[in-house]
Amino acid sequence: MKITIEPAEKIRGRIKVPGDKSISHRALLFSALTENNVEIEGLLKAEDTLSTQNCLAELGVEFKENGSKLLVKGKGLRGLEEPKDVLNAGNSGTTARLLAGLLAGQPFHSTLSGDSSLRGRPMQRVTEPLRLMGASINGRNNGCLLPLSIRGYDLLPINYALPVASAQVKSALLIAGLFSRGVSEIIDSYNTRDHTERALRYLGASINKPGKYHIRLEGPAKLYGERFRIPGDISAAAYFIVAAALAPQGELYIENVGINPTRTGILDVLIKMGAKVRILNEKEYNCEPAADLLIEGGRQLRGIEINGEMIPRLIDEIPILAVAALFAEGETIIRGAAELRIKESDRLKAMALELQKMGARVQELPDGLVIRGGAKLTGARCESHGDHRIAMALATAALFAEKESVISGAEVVRISFPGFFEVLSELST
């Protein structure tokens, strides 16, 4: 699918964005493991979260739609069923890695796979520590790549320091820890997003954080909950936040967005660059903070350096921050983001290549980008590289080019934000 983006003079309106993708995956998975039924409100309905739901259904979990809400009939830790077919995680790395942790604790055999893109993404970061806990896992390249064949056992607790900044690895080990007999301890020196810890605390697991980077979970656990209310996804909102900040005029109000501190690096960086962003009406749902956001346009941004501890808090937003940097005074340098090379695409390479087509001055680094602001963007024919975040970032950049742009492969936004282009059009016309 190709989409044409026309230049815009203003961004104005009031919107809601879809439910947070990370929280949606976890709400589905942990609700399935409760001892009762759980209602989920605000669930993201997109291809990635549907992959998680379909895999859980193959494991015997029952779901019932109730208007905009979803009722999940909990099976407890030991109530899942051996799947009759291969579990298909689609394009979702979160589905694959979190399910690996879940399946490691089950007393049956299962096979986990995904689409061609996911089958090329690294899995040894999850399979190696799960093997240390006692799970039997085989797969391509000695278990480094999907498909994975998993035979669960009674798991041992683990004491493990994350070697990479990955909330998915941390979550997989915490999920496996629910089935172990003893205390698992995870050292997360990267301070990655903590949605799993918050969900488990909400559901009554014995989990605490005795130190800044130290997580302690006691298993086996019994989980109980009644309702997950999922706030809007700040990663989905990021494209509109940047668009509003870059627009010569306008004002954008975004309702009920998650502001988990491990995810708000995008707001901190934009404010540091000079954007006017206000956080209003703060609240909390199931241990997750949320608020409304007000963004005003007409501000001149300035280039900054983005690195170090900032990176895990905005890893998904680096493509759209690269767009913001195009219109900032001076130079923006992004370092420490090599993880972006093994996402749905090589996001560093893809953003450099596609923005250069539009006339941007972007230099690719081994672990980041150097963006020199001030170049006028021309319309161009761009490619999504099969990556939803690349497609949405390029569409945002195209709003501020001198002529229209065409993005091929735009249908990929269905992975996380099916109505993205409709919302973008409403705000920019």
Side-chain angles (χ1 to χ4, degrees), residues 357-400:
K357 290 180 183 178
M358 302 177 78
R361 297 177 294 182
V362 181
Q363 176 188 351
E364 185 182 347
L365 302 175
D367 64 343
L369 298 168
V370 177
I371 304 110
R372 294 172 180 84
K376 290 186 177 180
L377 299 191
T378 59
R381 292 186 172 273
C382 299
E383 299 285 339
S384 73
H385 295 256
D387 191 318
H388 55 129
R389 301 206 188 279
I390 299 298
M392 291 186 282
L394 293 175
T396 307
L399 291 174
F400 305 103

Side-chain angles (χ1 to χ4, degrees), residues 3 29 51 82 126 143 166 215 242 250 258 275 316 398:
I3 193 82
L29 190 149
S51 291
E82 185 172 79
V126 169
S166 174
I215 305 155
V242 169
D316 286 339

